[in-house]
Coordinates of all heavy atoms in Angstrom, one line a residue:
K73 N 80.7 97.5 86.6 CA 81.6 98.3 87.5 C 81.5 97.8 88.9 O 80.5 97.5 89.4 CB 81.1 99.8 87.5 CG 82.0 100.7 88.2 CD 81.5 102.2 88.1 CE 82.4 103.1 88.9 NZ 82.0 104.5 88.8
M74 N 82.7 97.7 89.5 CA 82.7 97.2 90.9 C 82.2 98.3 91.8 O 82.8 99.3 92.1 CB 84.2 96.9 91.4 CG 84.6 95.6 90.8 SD 86.1 94.9 91.6 CE 87.4 96.0 91.1
N75 N 80.9 98.2 92.1 CA 80.1 99.2 92.8 C 79.2 98.7 93.9 O 78.5 99.5 94.5 CB 79.3 100.0 91.7 CG 79.0 101.4 92.2 OD1 79.7 102.0 93.0 ND2 77.9 101.9 91.7
L76 N 79.3 97.4 94.1 CA 78.4 96.8 95.1 C 79.1 96.1 96.2 O 80.2 95.5 96.0 CB 77.4 95.8 94.4 CG 76.6 96.3 93.3 CD1 75.8 95.2 92.6 CD2 75.6 97.4 93.8
S77 N 78.6 96.1 97.4 CA 79.2 95.4 98.5 C 78.6 94.0 98.7 O 77.6 93.7 98.1 CB 79.0 96.2 99.8 OG 77.6 96.1 100.2
V78 N 79.2 93.2 99.6 CA 78.6 91.9 99.9 C 77.2 92.0 100.4 O 76.4 91.2 100.2 CB 79.6 91.1 100.8 CG1 79.6 91.7 102.2 CG2 79.2 89.6 100.9
K79 N 77.0 93.1 101.2 CA 75.6 93.3 101.7 C 74.7 93.6 100.5 O 73.5 93.1 100.5 CB 75.6 94.5 102.7 CG 76.3 94.2 104.0 CD 76.4 95.4 104.8 CE 75.1 96.0 105.2 NZ 75.3 97.0 106.3
D80 N 75.1 94.4 99.6 CA 74.3 94.8 98.4 C 73.8 93.6 97.6 O 72.7 93.6 97.1 CB 75.0 95.8 97.5 CG 75.3 97.2 98.2 OD1 74.5 97.6 99.1 OD2 76.3 97.8 97.8
I81 N 74.7 92.6 97.5 CA 74.4 91.5 96.6 C 73.8 90.3 97.5 O 73.5 89.3 97.0 CB 75.6 90.9 95.9 CG1 76.6 90.4 96.9 CG2 76.2 92.0 95.0 CD1 77.6 89.4 96.3
D82 N 73.5 90.6 98.8 CA 73.0 89.6 99.7 C 74.0 88.4 99.7 O 73.5 87.2 99.8 CB 71.6 89.2 99.3 CG 70.7 88.8 100.5 OD1 71.1 89.2 101.6 OD2 69.7 88.1 100.3
G83 N 75.3 88.7 99.7 CA 76.3 87.6 99.6 C 76.6 87.1 101.0 O 76.1 87.6 102.0
E84 N 77.5 86.1 101.0 CA 77.9 85.4 102.2 C 79.3 85.6 102.5 O 80.1 86.0 101.7 CB 77.5 83.9 102.1 CG 76.1 83.6 101.8 CD 75.8 82.2 101.5 OE1 76.5 81.6 100.6 OE2 74.9 81.7 102.1
T85 N 79.8 85.3 103.7 CA 81.2 85.4 104.1 C 81.6 84.1 104.8 O 80.9 83.4 105.5 CB 81.4 86.5 105.1 OG1 80.7 86.4 106.2 CG2 81.1 87.9 104.4
L86 N 82.9 83.7 104.5 CA 83.5 82.6 105.2 C 84.8 83.1 105.8 O 85.7 83.6 105.1 CB 83.8 81.5 104.1 CG 84.5 80.2 104.6 CD1 83.7 79.5 105.7 CD2 84.8 79.3 103.5
V87 N 85.0 83.0 107.1 CA 86.1 83.5 107.8 C 87.0 82.4 108.4 O 86.4 81.5 109.0 CB 85.7 84.4 109.0 CG1 86.9 85.0 109.7 CG2 84.7 85.5 108.6
V88 N 88.3 82.5 108.1 CA 89.2 81.4 108.5 C 90.4 82.1 109.2 O 91.0 83.0 108.7 CB 89.7 80.6 107.3 CG1 90.8 79.6 107.7 CG2 88.6 79.9 106.5
S89 N 90.7 81.6 110.4 CA 91.8 82.2 111.2 C 93.1 81.8 110.5 O 93.2 80.7 110.0 CB 91.8 81.7 112.6 OG 91.9 80.3 112.7
N90 N 94.1 82.7 110.5 CA 95.4 82.4 109.9 C 96.5 83.2 110.5 O 96.7 84.4 110.1 CB 95.2 82.7 108.4 CG 96.4 82.2 107.6 OD1 97.6 82.3 108.0 ND2 96.1 81.7 106.4
F91 N 97.2 82.6 111.5 CA 98.3 83.4 112.2 C 99.4 83.6 111.2 O 100.2 84.6 111.5 CB 98.7 82.6 113.4 CG 99.5 81.4 113.1 CD1 100.9 81.4 113.1 CD2 98.9 80.2 112.9 CE1 101.7 80.3 112.8 CE2 99.7 79.0 112.6 CZ 101.1 79.1 112.6
T92 N 99.6 82.9 110.1 CA 100.7 83.1 109.3 C 100.7 84.4 108.5 O 101.7 84.9 107.9 CB 100.9 81.9 108.3 OG1 99.8 81.9 107.4 CG2 101.1 80.6 109.0
L93 N 99.6 85.1 108.6 CA 99.5 86.5 108.0 C 100.4 87.4 108.7 O 100.8 88.5 108.1 CB 98.1 87.0 108.0 CG 97.0 86.3 107.1 CD1 95.7 86.9 107.3 CD2 97.4 86.3 105.7
N94 N 100.8 87.1 109.9 CA 101.7 87.9 110.7 C 103.1 87.6 110.6 O 104.0 87.9 111.4 CB 101.3 87.9 112.2 CG 99.8 88.3 112.4 OD1 99.4 89.4 111.9 ND2 99.0 87.5 113.0
A95 N 103.5 86.9 109.5 CA 104.9 86.4 109.4 C 105.9 87.5 109.3 O 105.7 88.5 108.6 CB 105.0 85.5 108.1
N96 N 107.0 87.3 110.0 CA 108.1 88.2 109.9 C 109.1 87.4 109.0 O 109.7 86.4 109.5 CB 108.7 88.5 111.2 CG 110.0 89.3 111.1 OD1 110.5 89.7 110.0 ND2 110.6 89.7 112.3
Y97 N 109.3 87.9 107.8 CA 110.2 87.2 106.8 C 111.5 88.0 106.5 O 112.1 87.8 105.6 CB 109.4 86.9 105.6 CG 108.6 88.1 105.1 CD1 109.2 89.1 104.3 CD2 107.3 88.2 105.4 CE1 108.5 90.2 103.9 CE2 106.6 89.3 105.0 CZ 107.2 90.3 104.3 OH 106.4 91.4 103.9
S98 N 111.8 89.0 107.4 CA 112.9 89.9 107.1 C 114.3 89.4 107.3 O 115.2 89.9 106.8 CB 112.7 91.2 108.0 OG 112.8 90.9 109.4
H99 N 114.3 88.2 108.0 CA 115.7 87.7 108.2 C 115.6 86.2 107.9 O 114.6 85.5 108.2 CB 116.1 87.9 109.7 CG 115.1 87.3 110.7 ND1 114.0 88.0 111.0 CD2 115.1 86.1 111.3 CE1 113.3 87.2 111.9 NE2 113.9 86.1 112.1
G100 N 116.6 85.7 107.3 CA 116.7 84.2 106.9 C 115.6 83.8 106.0 O 114.9 84.6 105.4

C-alpha cells in the first residue's frame, strides 16, 4: 500500500528547474 513518504524510506531527491511547466498553450 502506498503509505510511506520519501523520509520514511530514507529516500533521496533530485530537483531540476523547469520553466516550461509554466507554459501557456491556450492560443496557437
Side-chain angles (χ1 to χ4, degrees):
K73 183 176 181 179
M74 285 197 289
N75 203 26
L76 302 173
S77 71
V78 68
K79 288 171 65 167
D80 294 331
I81 65 158
D82 213 18
E84 303 174 307
T85 58
L86 178 60
V87 183
V88 175
S89 61
N90 190 318
F91 74 93
T92 64
L93 293 177
N94 300 311
N96 175 0
Y97 46 83
S98 63
H99 57 279

